[in-house]
Amino acid sequence: MDTEKLLKELREKIDELIDQAKNAGAEAREEMDDVIEDLKKQRDKLEDKMKDFKSKNEPKFEEAKFHIRKAAEELEQAVRKIFRKGPGAEEV
């Protein structure tokens, strides 16, 4: 699952809990508020970790994309060479 999508779903679930807490009795609302605050803290930590991971690893992803594109181009040339007909099939 995409991490951005997961974080969005977490935010939405927390918002749902906040709405439910508004309609709960005083004792239940107090308990739900504590749980909601804990969830928000955990969500914030997760978002911070994801941002940190992404910023540290972005250059590696870009390098990997470059190598994958290069390999795909070489593969495409090899396929063209295999299916090429007539003189000069060895050259591409």
Side-chain angles (χ1 to χ4, degrees):
M1 175 178 270
D2 181 9
T3 55
E4 292 298 323
K5 184 177 178 181
L6 176 63
L7 291 172
K8 182 181 179 212
E9 287 179 11
L10 284 171
R11 285 191 287 283
E12 290 171 355
K13 294 291 183 186
I14 290 171
D15 289 342
E16 287 177 25
L17 286 173
I18 291 169
D19 287 341
Q20 290 176 3
K22 290 176 185 175
N23 299 324
E27 189 176 318
R29 185 175 355 174
E30 190 174 315
E31 187 176 329
M32 289 179 79
D33 286 343
D34 291 341
V35 171
I36 290 168
E37 285 306 310
D38 287 342
L39 289 172
K40 285 181 179 180
K41 288 176 186 176
Q42 290 176 14
R43 179 204 60 207
D44 292 345
K45 283 181 184 178
L46 179 59
E47 286 178 342
D48 289 342
K49 285 181 181 181
M50 292 307 302
K51 287 177 187 174
D52 185 50
F53 177 82
K54 192 172 184 179
S55 68
K56 287 180 179 177
N57 292 298
E58 191 69 33
K60 293 176 187 173
F61 290 135
E62 290 303 316
E63 183 179 345
K65 283 193 246 181
F66 170 79
H67 290 295
I68 290 170
R69 269 190 238 114
K70 185 77 172 153
E73 289 170 4
E74 291 172 4
L75 180 61
E76 182 181 5
Q77 287 178 353
V79 169
R80 285 182 184 176
K81 185 176 179 180
I82 290 170
F83 289 103
R84 192 174 210 184
K85 296 180 182 177
E90 304 83 38
E91 302 171 15
V92 173

